[in-house]
């Protein structure tokens, strides 16, 4: 169970890094598009991409804690 706990903790960290990259790229794209290409959506809508990543990060963190508690020996 300890390996699963470590795996889900690492997955949560990787998802947070991916979330930052995706949101930053889309924010820059929407900012440029609003300024030069005539996009009607504001750049702040790029933060909507963070919602599914946040759900995934929370799920991975909860699973990591559950597996960590199961791996601890009973006293």
């Amino acid at each position: 169970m300890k390996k699963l706990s470590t795996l889900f903790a690492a997955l949560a960290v990787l998802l947070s890094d991916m979330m930052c990259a995706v949101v930053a790229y889309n924010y820059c794209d929407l900012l440029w598009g609003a300024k030069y290409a005539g996009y009607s959506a504001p750049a702040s809508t790029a933060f909507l991409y963070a919602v599914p990543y946040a759900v995934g990060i929370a799920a991975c963190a909860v699973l990591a804690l559950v597996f960590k508690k199961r791996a601890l020996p009973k006293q």
Side-chain angles (χ1 to χ4, degrees), residues 6-24:
T6 305
L7 177 71
F8 280 108
L11 186 61
V13 170
L14 287 174
L15 278 175
S16 69
D17 292 343
M18 286 177 51
M19 176 186 68
C20 290
V22 167
V23 171

Side-chain angles (χ1 to χ4, degrees), residues 7-71:
L7 177 71
F8 280 108
L11 186 61
V13 170
L14 287 174
L15 278 175
S16 69
D17 292 343
M18 286 177 51
M19 176 186 68
C20 290
V22 167
V23 171
Y25 176 81
N26 287 318
Y27 184 82
C28 290
D29 183 47
L30 285 171
L31 194 64
W32 180 88
K35 198 173 208 181
Y36 299 111
Y39 292 0
S40 62
S44 61
T45 57
F47 293 111
L48 291 176
Y49 283 105
V51 173
Y53 284 102
V55 170
I57 292 167
C60 287
V62 167
L63 285 171
L65 288 175
V66 167
F67 287 132
K68 185 176 182 179
K69 286 187 179 186
R70 286 189 182 181

